[in-house]
Amino acid sequence: MPFKTMSLSDPLVQGILASGYTAPTEIQSRAIPLVTAGKDIIACAQTGTGKTAAFVLPILDRLQRQGNTKKKVIKALILTPTRELTVQIDKAVSGYGRFLPVRTAAVYGGVKIHGQLKALNRGVDIVIATPGRLIDHMQRKSIDFSHIEVLVLDEADRMLDMGFIRDVKKIIAALPEKRQTLLFSATISREVQTLSADIMKTPEKIQIGRQNPVETVTQHIYPVQKERKMDLLLHLLRQQQMTSVLVFSRTKHGADKIRRRLKNADIASVAIHSGRTQAQRLQAMDGFRSGQFQVMVATDIAARGINILGISHVVNYDVPAYAEDYIHRIGRTGRAAATGDAVTFVCPDEMKYLRKIESFIGKKFTLAAVRDLTTSQAPAPKSDPNPGHKRPMKNKKRKFYRNNPKRPARKKTGAL
Ligand code: AMP
């Protein structure tokens, strides 16, 4: 369905064409008709699917149809987790709405508040904001929510992961009850479901994107005791052609710990998670992309939107608790038709998550891996210099590995 047949107003269609878009993406063709019909929606879609236009275009269309009133009042509020996303959406609104008399304000922290106060005071139609700074404005009474008709929560899962739940709830409580609510999230976690149940009325659900692993990724399951995971990671890093490795940890704390231990083992690595500043994250990503770091350790949320070509391996150091995250994680390799390997370490406690992934992708992992796991056969490095010890003898081991850079390749267990 071309944009022209979506009953969007003419100047808006002109703006879309001027942005270089010829046809809507899947999320756009599914969401736009529902949003223009006034429905609440929950859309499960990642960055890169065209989700921004899926909510921005119907908002601009609504404003255009209402006509250009003399006094500007805020009709739409878009909440996002980060400053970067706020700026990006603001630019998208200006691009699509280039032939419309629309005014926006981007409201985010880390910059002086003065410019934002001026913009709000002058009057705007759309506010795009991060929760923290928006609360600042609420406290200063510099923002009027009373005319808001549409609320968008973009990257809702990331917003909750970053600890914004209380702020988000506080903001929503201050909005008119009669409004349309659109929620976009890469994953629909339990937290997101709970939030949506509180703030939306019988939303329509849209699911976009892969639910199956891409075929260019070979999956391997390694049963291993929890305390041997680092040994196994070091072993794999030393003996395989693992040039560019993205390691996933379920928690920030875990990611930092893995990174510290890799550093102790002289492996060039870096960690990204929501506890690190945006500048640190960008620096980490650049370093990983350029090959300065062999390994990047990441949490699920921090890795969202990572678009780095040439990642040779994804390692699930922890099995993700949500099956959707497994798909997103392993999809970081095998991109642009290149091949990649995804390696998952499974300790007995994590079997329940593995089962969830199996039922999600509709495929059983090999029995060999499960048998190994239930008999607790951790695939310890053959030449592990320190068998049976829970804590590795770091220096001795490091020296051992340095002196044995080319050991014969170990056969992988449980390749799918
Ligand atoms: P998003 O998922 O909103 O971050 O969009 C990802 C990228 O897709 C951005 O560079 C958009 O400019 C681009 N994009 C969005 N919609 C379309 C479309 N209908 N046709 C071509 N590119 C698009």
Side-chain angles (χ1 to χ4, degrees):
M1 184 203 283
F3 281 111
K4 273 194 188 130
T5 60
M6 291 184 112
S7 13
L8 298 170
S9 63
D10 280 346
L12 182 55
V13 174
Q14 295 309 319
I16 298 167
L17 297 177
S19 302
Y21 302 174
T22 47
T25 62
E26 188 186 352
I27 180 84
Q28 290 160 11
S29 45
R30 290 179 60 192
I32 293 172
L34 291 173
V35 181
T36 44
K39 305 266 189 217
D40 281 2
I41 63 166
I42 298 181
C44 183
Q46 293 186 64
T47 296
T49 53
K51 66 180 171 64
T52 312
F55 58 80
V56 168
L57 297 179
I59 290 174
L60 289 175
D61 191 58
R62 172 192 278 257
L63 293 173
Q64 173 66 6
R65 285 178 199 288
Q66 288 177 350
N68 191 17
T69 48
K70 261 193 188 151
K71 185 165 169 17
K72 295 266 180 199
V73 290
I74 304 167
K75 296 273 181 69
L77 171 65
I78 302 169
L79 282 182
T80 90
T82 63
R83 176 192 322 192
E84 289 73 20
L85 192 57
T86 303
V87 172
Q88 202 176 303
I89 295 172
D90 190 32
K91 277 197 190 134
V93 176
S94 312
Y96 308 142
R98 71 189 76 189
F99 302 119
L100 305 174
V102 64
R103 264 202 238 145
T104 63
V107 165
Y108 51 85
V111 292
K112 289 199 175 116
I113 204 164
H114 182 69
Q116 296 170 6
L117 290 172
K118 229 165 111 181
L120 291 171
N121 200 27
R122 208 161 62 103
V124 296
D125 307 281
I126 304 174
V127 169
I128 307 119
T130 52
R133 177 57 67 90
L134 191 63
I135 298 255
D136 261 9
H137 283 281
M138 285 165 67
Q139 282 161 352
R140 288 167 180 257
K141 301 203 185 331
S142 51
I143 194 154
D144 177 9
F145 287 155
S146 62
H147 297 92
I148 285 181
E149 297 172 9
V150 186
L151 165 70
V152 180
L153 298 174
D154 193 20
E155 301 205 353
D157 51 352
R158 191 164 163 197
M159 213 141 39
L160 300 191
D161 186 73
M162 288 170 75
F164 284 132
I165 183 71
R166 287 178 70 187
D167 287 352
V168 168
K169 283 189 171 169
K170 196 167 168 184
I171 292 164
I172 295 176
L175 302 181
E177 253 185 57
K178 190 171 171 300
R179 58 158 202 270
Q180 186 177 17
T181 305
L182 317 174
L183 183 149
F184 287 76
S185 196
T187 51
I188 306 296
S189 60
R190 209 164 302 143
E191 292 80 2
V192 171
Q193 278 176 24
T194 311
L195 176 70
S196 65
D198 287 348
I199 63 167
M200 302 174 95
K201 293 179 216 97
T202 54
E204 300 277 345
K205 298 198 173 104
I206 301 173
Q207 168 82 54
I208 300 293
R210 294 194 303 255
Q211 285 307 301
N212 290 313
V214 281
E215 279 161 14
T216 47
V217 181
T218 311
Q219 301 168 71
H220 311 272
I221 305 293
Y222 282 82
V224 59
Q225 293 298 328
K226 195 172 176 183
E227 61 277 11
R228 303 298 307 276
K229 284 188 174 184
M230 181 47 69
D231 289 342
L232 178 58
L233 178 60
L234 291 174
H235 172 70
L236 293 175
L237 285 170
R238 308 275 188 193
Q239 59 124 47
Q240 293 190 10
Q241 280 295 315
M242 296 178 91
T243 47
S244 180
V245 186
L246 182 58
V247 175
F248 280 97
S249 158
R250 210 177 304 135
T251 63
K252 291 184 228 178
H253 174 71
D256 281 336
K257 196 166 157 194
I258 294 167
R259 142 104 176 108
R260 270 197 307 275
R261 294 187 63 185
L262 288 172
K263 190 166 176 252
N264 288 342
D266 291 336
I267 289 176
S269 58
V270 71
I272 58 164
H273 51 67
S274 56
R276 311 209 77 203
T277 64
Q278 190 61 21
Q280 286 171 327
R281 280 193 257 172
L282 288 176
Q283 223 174 11
M285 217 105 80
D286 285 347
F288 184 52
R289 197 179 276 118
S290 69
Q292 182 192 348
F293 304 113
Q294 181 189 2
V295 180
M296 182 158 81
V297 190
T299 54
D300 290 292
I301 300 297
R304 189 80 31 84
I306 289 181
N307 196 357
I308 297 176
L309 291 178
I311 292 176
S312 65
H313 291 75
V314 164
V315 175
N316 294 313
Y317 195 89
D318 300 316
V319 184
Y322 296 102
E324 294 92 333
D325 287 343
Y326 178 78
I327 309 289
H328 295 151
R329 285 181 178 191
I330 73 170
R332 304 290 123 203
T333 180
R335 295 204 140 194
T339 55
D341 286 81
V343 177
T344 303
F345 295 174
V346 191
C347 71
D349 288 352
E350 294 172 313
M351 270 306 286
K352 53 183 183 287
Y353 302 134
L354 200 70
R355 294 275 176 253
K356 276 188 359 191
I357 296 168
E358 284 179 335
S359 68
F360 189 73
I361 63 176
K363 186 172 173 176
K364 280 229 165 279
F365 292 117
T366 55
L367 284 175
V370 176
R371 195 171 55 240
D372 283 353
L373 181 62
T374 50
T375 52
S376 306
Q377 291 290 309
K382 244 184 207 161
S383 40
D384 184 347
N386 186 28
H389 281 73
K390 283 197 173 175
R391 297 188 66 79
M393 294 158 67
K394 279 184 204 146
N395 291 335
K396 243 186 170 179
K397 191 166 174 184
R398 215 178 304 158
K399 205 166 157 194
F400 171 86
Y401 281 133
R402 254 203 304 269
N403 295 337
N404 294 275
K406 280 191 187 157
R407 277 165 297 139
R410 229 181 91 80
K411 196 171 172 289
K412 285 176 195 169
T413 53
L416 288 177

